[in-house]
């Protein structure tokens, strides 16, 4: 296999399963494990450093909330992310495109709660990377892999928010 999109720069440190459009069945769970562990670490750090920062509030509970967080949001956010990444990729390197996309998603989520923007930054680095990598195969594959990874990322928090 020839050179990959992220063989240089800081994203080269990500596992090959995330940087190669070869095995979606592996890229999705590896990506989800990276996003969940990273967001948990960032959440812990934020709550340790600034425990009084407002956290996101989800006033609705139950199956509808779970469906919104685990199915609807990942698909809609991936479609928006795909458009943003396509635009950014016209002007920036692939690495700058991914990092800029993640920063924009962090800002967007910070509008509801500042700490949430920090916590989602890392997952959106992974979602954006997966989209950019899998876009080499097809846009549909890129949307599917990124959205499925996002859905797995949201599974535990979605369950916790919806049913506890």
């Amino acid at each position: 296999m020839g050179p990959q999109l992220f063989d240089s720069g800081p994203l080269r440190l990500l596992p090959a399963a995330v940087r190669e459009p070869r095995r979606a069945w592996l890229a999705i769970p590896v990506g989800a494990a990276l996003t969940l562990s990273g967001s948990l670490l960032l959440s812990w750090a934020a709550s340790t450093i600034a425990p009084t920062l407002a956290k996101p509030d989800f006033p609705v509970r139950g199956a509808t909330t779970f469906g919104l967080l685990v199915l609807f949001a990942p698909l809609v956010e991936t479609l928006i992310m795909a458009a943003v990444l396509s635009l950014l990729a016209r002007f920036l390197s692939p690495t700058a495109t991914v990092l800029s996309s993640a920063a924009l998603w962090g800002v967007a989520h910070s509008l509801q709660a500042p700490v949430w923007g920090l916590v989602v930054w890392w997952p959106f680095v992974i979602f954006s990377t997966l989209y950019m990598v899998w876009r080499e195969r097809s846009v549909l594959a890129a949307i599917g892999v990124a959205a499925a990874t996002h859905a797995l990322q949201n599974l535990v928090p979605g369950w916790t928010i919806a049913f506890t």
Side-chain angles (χ1 to χ4, degrees), residues 56-74:
D57 181 37
F58 298 92
V60 180
R61 300 282 190 257
T64 300
T65 298
F66 184 74
L68 288 171
L69 292 172
V70 177
L71 301 173
F72 182 77

Side-chain angles (χ1 to χ4, degrees), residues 52-143:
T52 60
L53 278 179
K55 293 168 180 60
D57 181 37
F58 298 92
V60 180
R61 300 282 190 257
T64 300
T65 298
F66 184 74
L68 288 171
L69 292 172
V70 177
L71 301 173
F72 182 77
L75 181 58
V76 170
E77 288 184 347
T78 299
L79 292 171
I80 295 167
M81 183 183 72
V84 170
L85 286 167
S86 295
L87 179 64
L88 291 172
R90 297 180 70 174
F91 305 102
L92 302 172
S93 71
T95 299
T97 295
V98 164
L99 296 176
S100 297
S101 171
L104 289 170
W105 282 103
V107 168
H109 284 80
S110 289
L111 297 175
Q112 184 181 3
V115 72
W116 199 16
L118 173 66
V119 172
V120 303
W121 174 80
W122 175 249
F124 275 96
V125 167
I126 303 301
F127 305 149
S128 297
T129 299
L130 286 167
Y131 179 85
M132 294 290 290
V133 166
W134 283 85
R135 189 182 65 169
E136 294 178 4
R137 293 274 292 268
S138 76
V139 170
L140 189 57
I143 290 168

Side-chain angles (χ1 to χ4, degrees), residues 21-41:
R22 295 179 49 190
R23 296 180 300 262
W25 62 267
L26 184 59
I28 293 166
V30 169
L34 285 170
T35 63
L36 192 56
S37 60
S39 63
L40 288 172
L41 181 63

Side-chain angles (χ1 to χ4, degrees), residues 1-29:
M1 182 174 250
Q4 298 298 308
L5 189 60
F6 297 109
D7 278 350
S8 63
L11 298 179
R12 77 180 182 288
L13 301 173
L14 294 173
V18 173
R19 294 182 295 108
E20 299 172 352
R22 295 179 49 190
R23 296 180 300 262
W25 62 267
L26 184 59
I28 293 166

